[in-house]
Amino acid sequence: MSCSGEIIDGEEQLIQIRPAISAQLKKAKYGVSDHSTVELCHWTKKSFKHEGNCYKHKFYGISTHRCMEFSPAGMHCENRCVYCWRPMEFYDSLEMKPEQVAEPKEILTKLMAERKKLINGYYGDSRNDKQRLDESLLPSHYAISLSGEPTMYPKLPELIKYLNSLQTTKSIFLVTNGQEPDMIQRLQDEDALPTQLYLSTNAADYKSFLKINKPKYDDSWERWNRTLGMLKHLNTRTVLRITLIRGYNDQKDMIPLFAKMFRESSPHFIEIKSYMHIGRSTNRLEHSNMLEMEEVKQFSEQITKQSKIFSVMDESFVSRISILQNNERFIDRWIPSYANTS
């Protein structure tokens, strides 16, 4: 048993989120199964009422109401990022042994059942579109990005392949903190890359990296840079995601460093988003650490000028995010499988 977020089931030897922590997660409307978690995000719930869509719908075309956000490593992460709004105080272990984790099909079967329970509660509200609720039970988009770090799950290639084998799957987005470059290489080698790979990119230098990400690995900066260097060679769509935090990484002298990093790593897209003062992050940061949308736009415009290869593609005011597109490695923003869908 670990001292925090997990226990090992004695009979099956599967990692389990501790009952007390699982109860807290369920109270917060998470679904929990073994070491995995699932949740209905804010935008998925709003989409049931036709009250808006996630910016990923606006930017790339995914169907918000048919998005399943989950993690196969719910309480495992190598960082303790200051801006994280997930329950990272429960994170502990830095290892998930292959013999102690659930199989991909088992994870999905159990999490789909948990997710269905969450969705069932919305049928009683007449403001929700019943057809959308019905459709949401069979996801077309999988966001492997909820809590914890999904690349710590040792059977991630098999998981992504399993998701791709499902009839309704149209896209898979994977978000990583870059601390497991060997897993990213495995995804490439085993033909198991997601539709779109996100790398969290919140610091342009080592000092800021430590201050913002609070990593547990001694070689965390080297690990992250190795992942960054892989992006232009991966056979999939790639995105750098920056969370701008006032006083941490939004200073003017950071812009040339970021621009150089972006130019050299050459991802297809860069998402530049303000930190949002929500969830557990409110215990570590202040409301004043958020940037206004105009500030996000100004930062983005400076990046485009100094990088010379990116241009502003779109923005979402309500989410305080701008997206840049790589003009040298141009790809269509729209994911083809979503043509003629809403």
Side-chain angles (χ1 to χ4, degrees), residues 248-299:
Y248 282 76
N249 60 2
D250 68 323
Q251 299 91 330
K252 288 184 178 180
D253 59 356
M254 290 285 184
I255 293 176
L257 299 177
F258 273 121
K260 181 176 183 290
M261 176 187 291
F262 300 157
R263 188 168 55 250
E264 292 177 353
S265 58
S266 196
H268 295 107
F269 305 100
I270 301 171
E271 293 181 1
I272 302 177
K273 190 179 190 304
S274 170
Y275 156 71
M276 303 303 283
H277 194 60
I278 57 175
R280 307 290 178 127
S281 74
T282 59
N283 297 326
R284 300 179 292 274
L285 295 172
E286 303 296 330
H287 189 275
S288 59
N289 289 119
M290 294 197 306
L291 276 68
E292 298 296 334
M293 183 60 199
E294 188 59 36
E295 295 174 293
V296 174
K297 290 174 66 173
Q298 291 173 4
F299 189 95

Side-chain angles (χ1 to χ4, degrees), residues 68-103:
M68 176 172 169
E69 186 178 15
F70 78 101
S71 173
M75 291 293 108
H76 292 74
C77 191
E78 313 92 335
N79 293 347
R80 302 294 183 269
C81 302
V82 295
Y83 62 89
C84 183
W85 54 283
R86 302 299 185 182
M88 70 178 189
E89 64 271 24
F90 299 143
Y91 298 167
D92 180 43
S93 175
L94 293 178
E95 183 179 21
M96 299 183 76
K97 295 180 179 179
E99 65 272 18
Q100 294 176 342
V101 299
E103 294 295 324

Side-chain angles (χ1 to χ4, degrees), residues 293-335:
M293 183 60 199
E294 188 59 36
E295 295 174 293
V296 174
K297 290 174 66 173
Q298 291 173 4
F299 189 95
S300 301
E301 288 165 0
Q302 286 300 312
I303 290 292
T304 63
K305 290 178 181 178
Q306 297 193 33
S307 71
K308 296 182 171 58
I309 66 170
F310 291 93
S311 59
V312 176
M313 185 184 87
D314 208 339
E315 63 183 34
S316 172
F317 185 87
V318 67
S319 296
R320 303 193 193 193
I321 182 171
S322 290
I323 180 169
L324 313 184
Q325 187 166 31
N326 191 330
N327 296 314
E328 287 191 349
R329 298 183 67 216
F330 184 88
I331 59 170
D332 192 342
R333 65 189 283 182
W334 306 113
I335 296 174

Side-chain angles (χ1 to χ4, degrees), residues 10-127:
E11 182 178 345
E12 297 183 355
Q13 291 297 301
L14 290 183
I15 297 169
Q16 304 283 321
I17 296 174
R18 289 173 59 185
I21 296 171
S22 178
Q24 291 189 47
L25 291 172
K26 290 178 179 179
K27 186 176 181 180
K29 304 301 182 184
Y30 283 72
V32 178
S33 173
D34 300 321
H35 47 76
S36 303
T37 52
V38 67
E39 186 187 34
L40 298 179
C41 90
H42 167 76
W43 286 108
T44 295
K45 291 181 282 190
K46 286 184 75 70
S47 72
F48 293 157
K49 298 178 181 178
H50 295 271
E51 292 181 348
N53 287 296
C54 169
Y55 65 82
K56 298 180 194 70
H57 171 77
K58 184 181 183 187
F59 292 172
Y60 312 115
I62 73 153
S63 296
T64 304
H65 70 290
R66 298 187 67 184
C67 169
M68 176 172 169
E69 186 178 15
F70 78 101
S71 173
M75 291 293 108
H76 292 74
C77 191
E78 313 92 335
N79 293 347
R80 302 294 183 269
C81 302
V82 295
Y83 62 89
C84 183
W85 54 283
R86 302 299 185 182
M88 70 178 189
E89 64 271 24
F90 299 143
Y91 298 167
D92 180 43
S93 175
L94 293 178
E95 183 179 21
M96 299 183 76
K97 295 180 179 179
E99 65 272 18
Q100 294 176 342
V101 299
E103 294 295 324
K105 185 175 181 179
E106 182 181 5
I107 288 176
L108 259 293
T109 299
K110 290 182 177 180
L111 288 186
M112 288 282 279
E114 292 295 322
R115 184 173 175 274
K116 183 177 181 180
K117 293 177 187 176
L118 297 174
I119 292 171
N120 282 344
Y122 290 86
Y123 278 94
D125 188 339
S126 61
R127 294 173 297 174

